[in-house]
Amino acid sequence: MPKIKAIHHVAVVVDDVEKALTFWRDALGIELHELRDVPAEHAQVAFLPIAGAEIELVRPTTEDSGLAKYLAKRGPGMHHICLEVDDLQGLLTQLKEKNVRLINEEPRVAADGKQYAFIHPEATGGALVELYQI
Amino acid sequence: MPKIKAIHHVAVVVDDVEKALTFWRDALGIELHELRDVPAEHAQVAFLPIAGAEIELVRPTTEDSGLAKYLAKRGPGMHHICLEVDDLQGLLTQLKEKNVRLINEEPRVAADGKQYAFIHPEATGGALVELYQI
């Protein structure tokens, strides 16, 4: 049976990464591991590791991505929770059997080779949930 | 210097805990550690541990709490990120020195003895952040 292994990251959508870093990095003292553009996600992302998990500050770099629309509609704030799973394909099959509404019915593959899929907030109690297999 | 030790939990505000559990517990397979009323927070809370961290599903039990107003205004979804810190008093002092806007200027003490304080979303890039010292 597929198993949820960890909270991998929590993503916060922001309109200004440098400004957000004055809090997360400078005031809280969390190390900034990396700040980079992720063209596939139309976003600039700051990665701030905390004990095996991560806070990700995400700023949309185009105006028509889902992320940009979310920011325009809801304002800056928490965007999604990402859970690490040992068998993404198996878990998606299990979720489909239970009629859980998915955004991605099959695993997608990121540029770095990680497999991921998003679950619709309607199914989770309102939170956007990402599943990751590393 | 105070240190952020871990992501302690992510709280999701829901309008129906049992319904949300059909996803988090039954479909994802995360164990429900505890479901209890927390009168001090005017909430019913489901605790779902994941590898040292936790998802908390939180339902307001009164209509006039901050949580109830958040749910009424924003709908169900992610509510806050809680970070564990080794020296809450020291970190709050550090945040005040950097003019970070706080909801609680001094540590508050929960019924179980944990010290906590909330940081205003305006300071963090939009996310409500709780700090915990255990």
Side-chain angles (χ1 to χ4, degrees):
Chain A
M1 189 152 163
K3 188 170 162 51
I4 303 295
K5 295 173 67 178
I7 295 177
H8 184 278
H9 65 260
V10 179
V12 179
V13 58
V14 300
D15 47 21
D16 184 336
V17 172
E18 282 303 331
K19 184 163 172 246
L21 283 173
T22 64
F23 170 71
W24 293 92
R25 177 192 57 199
D26 304 336
L28 283 187
I30 304 171
E31 185 197 357
L32 173 63
H33 174 65
E34 195 178 5
L35 173 62
R36 65 178 158 95
D37 281 309
V38 183
E41 294 177 22
H42 306 280
Q44 180 190 36
V45 185
F47 298 88
L48 297 130
I50 304 175
E54 222 166 46
I55 301 290
E56 294 186 8
L57 306 175
V58 184
R59 180 183 67 80
T61 49
T62 61
E63 285 182 10
D64 54 356
S65 67
L67 191 69
K69 288 173 188 164
Y70 182 98
L71 179 60
K73 185 177 173 188
R74 307 258 309 180
M78 296 171 71
H79 183 258
H80 68 265
I81 309 170
C82 178
L83 305 174
E84 187 184 341
V85 58
D86 58 2
D87 174 8
L88 178 57
Q89 181 71 68
L91 183 56
L92 291 177
T93 300
Q94 179 175 305
L95 295 176
K96 281 183 271 189
E97 284 168 2
K98 292 180 186 287
N99 297 311
V100 170
R101 184 171 170 192
L102 303 173
I103 293 175
N104 308 116
E105 299 256 334
E106 298 297 326
R108 303 194 61 167
V109 181
D112 60 5
K114 287 194 198 82
Q115 293 184 62
Y116 69 96
F118 281 93
I119 302 168
H120 198 282
E122 191 186 83
T124 71
L128 179 60
V129 175
E130 182 179 19
L131 302 171
Y132 242 23
Q133 182 179 342
I134 297 171
Chain B
M1 187 153 162
K3 189 170 161 51
I4 304 295
K5 295 173 68 178
I7 296 177
H8 184 278
H9 65 257
V10 178
V12 179
V13 58
V14 300
D15 47 20
D16 184 336
V17 172
E18 283 303 330
K19 183 162 173 245
L21 284 173
T22 64
F23 170 71
W24 293 92
R25 177 191 57 199
D26 304 336
L28 282 188
I30 304 171
E31 185 196 358
L32 173 62
H33 175 65
E34 196 179 4
L35 174 61
R36 66 178 158 95
D37 281 310
V38 184
E41 294 177 22
H42 306 280
Q44 180 190 36
V45 185
F47 298 88
L48 297 130
I50 304 175
E54 221 165 46
I55 300 291
E56 294 186 6
L57 306 175
V58 185
R59 180 183 68 81
T61 49
T62 62
E63 285 182 9
D64 54 356
S65 66
L67 191 70
K69 288 173 188 164
Y70 183 99
L71 179 61
K73 185 176 172 188
R74 306 259 306 181
M78 295 171 74
H79 183 257
H80 69 264
I81 308 170
C82 179
L83 304 175
E84 188 184 342
V85 58
D86 58 1
D87 175 9
L88 179 56
Q89 181 72 69
L91 184 55
L92 291 177
T93 300
Q94 179 174 306
L95 295 177
K96 281 184 271 190
E97 285 168 3
K98 291 178 187 286
N99 297 311
V100 170
R101 185 171 171 191
L102 303 173
I103 293 175
N104 308 115
E105 300 256 334
E106 297 297 326
R108 304 195 61 168
V109 181
D112 60 4
K114 286 194 198 82
Q115 292 185 62
Y116 69 95
F118 280 93
I119 303 169
H120 198 283
E122 191 186 81
T124 72
L128 179 59
V129 174
E130 182 179 19
L131 302 171
Y132 242 23
Q133 182 178 341
I134 297 172

